[in-house]
Amino acid sequence: MTTAPHQASPYGIPPLAIARIKGAQKANKIAIYMILAALVAFVVFGTIASIKIFHDNQLLYRLFYNLPFILIALTIPITIYNAFVIYRYRLSQSSMVIMTIGVSSIILIGGLLFADTAWLGLASWLGVAFLFKVSFKRFFDFVEAETESETNSDVATVNNAKYFEQTPPNA
């Protein structure tokens, strides 16, 4: 276990919490890349599979049909972890986090149980990673803006101190 200094960052957020949120943000970027790879695979292999020469090729059909499902399904644990981090540190409203994960889960499980398909449920997971990306971006923009304002106030304090040092007391 690493020991983090007990210095609080802006607004009293512990450095360990910021490190955990940054790790979740990196995991979310991986999930987004996997979603984009799934979309590219769907388009590319779907286009190739639609060419008349490849109509009977089972490998292309499997890549067209299953690879996007697998890639998106692999993002589900990542987005659930991100949901826990966002919920734990209140980076977004808790009702929004619960609703996005809940609705996506219900659609996925309902589709698998009653409709024998997963495409609608997996399609709903596409948006979850992008919603969490916005939450992470808003948080780090907020922290960065606070850090900048503290830096600017420190510079102003130093400039004022230099002014008062140079000014004679009777002026």
Side-chain angles (χ1 to χ4, degrees):
M1 185 169 164
T2 60
T3 25
H6 293 290
Q7 294 177 341
S9 61
Y11 289 101
I13 302 169
L16 187 58
I18 290 180
R20 185 170 291 145
I21 294 168
K22 282 183 182 178
Q25 184 183 30
K26 288 178 185 176
N28 194 52
K29 284 183 183 179
I30 292 170
I32 288 173
Y33 288 141
M34 290 172 71
I35 289 170
L36 294 175
L39 292 173
V40 168
F42 179 77
V43 170
V44 169
F45 292 125
T47 302
I48 293 172
S50 69
I51 298 173
K52 189 167 182 90
I53 299 170
F54 300 112
H55 275 249
D56 295 332
N57 192 336
Q58 286 297 315
L59 177 64
L60 280 175
Y61 177 73
R62 293 286 178 203
L63 288 173
F64 160 66
Y65 189 74
N66 292 333
L67 184 61
F69 282 176
I70 292 168
L71 288 172
I72 293 172
L74 288 174
T75 66
I76 291 174
I78 298 171
T79 55
I80 289 175
Y81 169 73
N82 291 337
F84 284 134
V85 170
I86 289 172
Y87 182 78
R88 165 66 177 93
Y89 294 108
R90 304 286 192 248
L91 303 183
S92 183
Q93 293 179 357
S94 58
S95 61
M96 286 182 62
V97 175
I98 292 169
M99 189 172 77
T100 55
I101 296 296
V103 168
S104 297
S105 300
I106 288 170
I107 292 173
L108 179 62
I109 293 169
L112 289 172
L113 290 177
F114 302 114
D116 197 28
T117 184
W119 70 268
L120 186 59
L122 290 175
S124 67
W125 280 100
L126 291 174
V128 175
F130 290 99
L131 176 69
F132 291 166
K133 177 184 176 182
V134 171
S135 295
F136 289 128
K137 184 179 182 322
R138 269 194 339 214
F139 172 74
F140 286 113
D141 287 348
F142 173 75
V143 170
E144 183 180 319
E146 180 59 30
T147 306
E148 283 181 11
S149 69
E150 282 184 1
T151 305
N152 291 342
S153 67
D154 290 344
V155 169
T157 304
V158 169
N159 288 341
N160 287 341
K162 286 180 183 177
Y163 172 76
F164 288 118
E165 287 174 2
Q166 295 171 355
T167 308
N170 295 342

